[in-house]
Coordinates of all heavy atoms in Angstrom, one line a residue:
S110 N -100.2 7.0 -74.2 CA -100.3 6.6 -75.5 C -100.0 5.0 -75.7 O -100.8 4.3 -76.4 CB -99.2 7.3 -76.4 OG -99.1 6.8 -77.7
L111 N -99.0 4.5 -74.9 CA -98.8 3.1 -74.9 C -99.9 2.3 -74.3 O -100.4 1.3 -74.8 CB -97.5 2.8 -74.3 CG -97.1 1.3 -74.2 CD1 -97.0 0.7 -75.6 CD2 -95.7 1.2 -73.4
E112 N -100.5 2.8 -73.2 CA -101.5 2.2 -72.5 C -102.8 2.1 -73.4 O -103.5 1.1 -73.4 CB -101.9 2.8 -71.2 CG -100.8 2.6 -70.2 CD -101.0 3.5 -69.0 OE1 -101.9 4.5 -69.0 OE2 -100.2 3.5 -68.0
V113 N -103.1 3.2 -74.1 CA -104.2 3.2 -75.0 C -104.0 2.2 -76.1 O -105.0 1.4 -76.4 CB -104.4 4.6 -75.6 CG1 -105.4 4.6 -76.8 CG2 -104.9 5.6 -74.5
A114 N -102.9 2.1 -76.7 CA -102.6 1.1 -77.8 C -102.8 -0.3 -77.3 O -103.3 -1.1 -78.0 CB -101.2 1.4 -78.4
L115 N -102.3 -0.6 -76.1 CA -102.3 -1.9 -75.5 C -103.8 -2.3 -75.2 O -104.2 -3.4 -75.5 CB -101.5 -2.1 -74.3 CG -100.0 -2.0 -74.5 CD1 -99.3 -1.9 -73.2 CD2 -99.5 -3.1 -75.3
A116 N -104.6 -1.4 -74.7 CA -106.0 -1.6 -74.3 C -106.9 -1.6 -75.4 O -108.0 -2.3 -75.4 CB -106.4 -0.6 -73.2
S117 N -106.5 -1.0 -76.5 CA -107.5 -0.8 -77.7 C -107.5 -2.0 -78.6 O -108.4 -2.0 -79.5 CB -107.1 0.5 -78.4 OG -105.9 0.3 -79.1
G118 N -106.6 -2.9 -78.5 CA -106.5 -4.0 -79.5 C -105.6 -3.6 -80.7 O -105.6 -4.4 -81.6
A119 N -105.0 -2.4 -80.6 CA -104.1 -2.0 -81.7 C -102.9 -3.1 -81.9 O -102.5 -3.7 -80.9 CB -103.5 -0.7 -81.5
H120 N -102.4 -3.2 -83.1 CA -101.3 -4.1 -83.3 C -100.0 -3.3 -83.5 O -99.0 -3.9 -83.7 CB -101.6 -4.9 -84.5 CG -102.7 -6.0 -84.3 ND1 -102.5 -7.2 -83.6 CD2 -104.0 -6.0 -84.6 CE1 -103.5 -7.8 -83.5 NE2 -104.5 -7.1 -84.1
E121 N -100.1 -2.0 -83.5 CA -98.9 -1.1 -83.7 C -99.0 0.1 -82.8 O -100.1 0.6 -82.6 CB -98.8 -0.7 -85.2 CG -97.6 0.0 -85.5 CD -97.5 0.3 -86.9 OE1 -98.0 -0.4 -87.8 OE2 -96.9 1.3 -87.3
W122 N -97.9 0.5 -82.4 CA -97.8 1.8 -81.6 C -96.6 2.6 -82.1 O -95.6 2.1 -82.4 CB -97.6 1.4 -80.1 CG -97.3 2.6 -79.2 CD1 -98.2 3.5 -78.7 CD2 -96.0 2.9 -78.6 NE1 -97.5 4.4 -77.9 CE2 -96.2 4.0 -77.8 CE3 -94.8 2.4 -78.7 CZ2 -95.2 4.7 -77.1 CZ3 -93.7 3.0 -78.0 CH2 -94.0 4.1 -77.2
R123 N -96.9 3.9 -82.2 CA -95.8 4.9 -82.6 C -95.8 6.1 -81.7 O -96.9 6.5 -81.3 CB -96.1 5.4 -84.0 CG -95.9 4.3 -85.1 CD -96.2 4.9 -86.4 NE -96.2 3.8 -87.4 CZ -95.5 3.9 -88.6 NH1 -94.8 5.0 -88.8 NH2 -95.5 3.0 -89.4
E124 N -94.7 6.6 -81.4 CA -94.6 7.7 -80.6 C -93.2 8.5 -80.8 O -92.2 7.8 -81.1 CB -94.8 7.3 -79.1 CG -95.0 8.5 -78.2 CD -96.3 9.3 -78.5 OE1 -97.4 8.8 -78.3 OE2 -96.2 10.4 -78.9
A125 N -93.2 9.8 -80.6 CA -91.9 10.5 -80.6 C -91.8 11.2 -79.2 O -92.7 11.7 -78.7 CB -92.1 11.6 -81.7
Y126 N -90.6 11.2 -78.7 CA -90.3 11.6 -77.4 C -88.8 11.8 -77.2 O -88.0 11.6 -78.2 CB -90.9 10.7 -76.4 CG -90.4 9.3 -76.4 CD1 -89.2 8.9 -75.7 CD2 -90.9 8.4 -77.3 CE1 -88.8 7.6 -75.8 CE2 -90.5 7.1 -77.3 CZ -89.4 6.7 -76.6 OH -88.9 5.5 -76.7
R127 N -88.4 12.3 -76.0 CA -86.9 12.4 -75.7 C -86.5 11.3 -74.8 O -87.3 11.0 -73.8 CB -86.7 13.8 -75.0 CG -87.0 14.9 -76.0 CD -87.1 16.3 -75.3 NE -88.4 16.3 -74.6 CZ -88.8 17.4 -73.8 NH1 -88.0 18.3 -73.6 NH2 -89.9 17.3 -73.2
L128 N -85.4 10.7 -75.1 CA -84.9 9.6 -74.4 C -83.4 9.9 -73.9 O -82.6 10.4 -74.6 CB -84.7 8.4 -75.3 CG -84.4 7.1 -74.7 CD1 -85.5 6.5 -73.9 CD2 -84.0 6.0 -75.8
R129 N -83.2 9.6 -72.6 CA -81.9 9.9 -72.0 C -80.8 9.1 -72.5 O -80.9 7.8 -72.5 CB -82.0 9.9 -70.5 CG -80.7 10.4 -69.8 CD -80.9 10.6 -68.3 NE -81.8 9.6 -67.7 CZ -81.4 8.5 -67.1 NH1 -80.2 8.1 -67.2 NH2 -82.4 7.7 -66.6
R130 N -79.7 9.7 -73.0 CA -78.5 8.9 -73.4 C -77.7 8.6 -72.1 O -77.9 9.1 -71.0 CB -77.7 9.8 -74.3 CG -78.3 10.2 -75.6 CD -77.4 11.1 -76.4 NE -78.0 11.7 -77.5 CZ -78.0 11.2 -78.7 NH1 -77.5 10.1 -78.9 NH2 -78.6 11.9 -79.7
G131 N -76.7 7.8 -72.3 CA -75.8 7.4 -71.3 C -75.1 8.5 -70.6 O -74.7 8.5 -69.5
D132 N -74.8 9.6 -71.4 CA -74.1 10.8 -70.9 C -75.0 11.8 -70.3 O -74.6 12.9 -69.9 CB -73.3 11.5 -72.0 CG -74.1 12.0 -73.1 OD1 -75.4 12.0 -73.1 OD2 -73.5 12.5 -74.2
G133 N -76.4 11.5 -70.2 CA -77.3 12.4 -69.5 C -78.0 13.3 -70.5 O -79.0 13.9 -70.1
R134 N -77.5 13.5 -71.7 CA -78.2 14.4 -72.7 C -79.4 13.6 -73.2 O -79.5 12.4 -73.0 CB -77.3 14.7 -73.8 CG -76.1 15.7 -73.4 CD -75.2 16.0 -74.6 NE -74.7 14.8 -75.2 CZ -74.5 14.5 -76.5 NH1 -75.0 15.5 -77.4 NH2 -74.1 13.4 -76.9
Y135 N -80.3 14.3 -73.8 CA -81.5 13.6 -74.4 C -81.5 13.6 -75.9 O -81.1 14.6 -76.5 CB -82.8 14.3 -73.9 CG -83.1 14.0 -72.5 CD1 -82.6 14.8 -71.4 CD2 -83.9 12.9 -72.3 CE1 -82.9 14.4 -70.1 CE2 -84.3 12.6 -70.9 CZ -83.8 13.3 -69.9 OH -84.1 13.0 -68.6
A136 N -81.8 12.4 -76.4 CA -82.0 12.3 -77.9 C -83.5 12.4 -78.2 O -84.4 12.1 -77.4 CB -81.5 10.9 -78.3
Q137 N -83.7 13.0 -79.4 CA -85.1 13.1 -79.9 C -85.3 11.8 -80.6 O -84.6 11.6 -81.6 CB -85.3 14.3 -80.7 CG -85.1 15.6 -79.9 CD -85.3 16.8 -80.8 OE1 -85.9 16.8 -81.8 NE2 -84.8 18.0 -80.3
V138 N -86.2 11.0 -80.3 CA -86.4 9.7 -80.9 C -87.8 9.5 -81.4 O -88.8 10.1 -80.9 CB -86.0 8.5 -79.9 CG1 -84.6 8.6 -79.4 CG2 -87.0 8.4 -78.8
S139 N -88.0 8.6 -82.3 CA -89.3 8.0 -82.7 C -89.2 6.5 -82.5 O -88.2 5.9 -82.7 CB -89.7 8.4 -84.1 OG -88.8 7.8 -85.0
E140 N -90.3 6.0 -82.0 CA -90.3 4.6 -81.7 C -91.6 4.0 -82.3 O -92.6 4.6 -82.4 CB -90.4 4.4 -80.2 CG -90.4 2.9 -79.8 CD -90.1 2.7 -78.3 OE1 -90.0 3.6 -77.6 OE2 -90.1 1.5 -78.0
R141 N -91.4 2.8 -82.8 CA -92.5 2.0 -83.4 C -92.4 0.6 -82.8 O -91.4 0.0 -82.8 CB -92.3 1.9 -84.9 CG -93.4 1.2 -85.7 CD -93.0 1.3 -87.1 NE -94.1 0.6 -87.9 CZ -94.1 0.4 -89.2 NH1 -93.0 0.7 -89.9 NH2 -95.1 -0.2 -89.8
G142 N -93.6 0.2 -82.3 CA -93.6 -1.1 -81.7 C -94.8 -1.9 -82.3 O -95.8 -1.4 -82.6

């Protein structure tokens, strides 16, 4: 998804996914770049 946004000329990228916390558990996050 990020590669497509970078290659397509888009000025914004959004995605939802799981990100590992410092304790090893995963947070459900949304990211906007």
Side-chain angles (χ1 to χ4, degrees):
S110 168
L111 179 57
E112 290 167 356
V113 167
L115 293 172
S117 71
H120 291 280
E121 186 177 332
W122 171 74
R123 291 177 187 232
E124 194 60 69
Y126 57 93
R127 292 167 287 179
L128 185 75
R129 186 169 32 90
R130 298 177 189 270
D132 64 5
R134 293 179 302 138
Y135 282 89
Q137 296 180 20
V138 301
S139 65
E140 183 166 2
R141 182 177 182 190

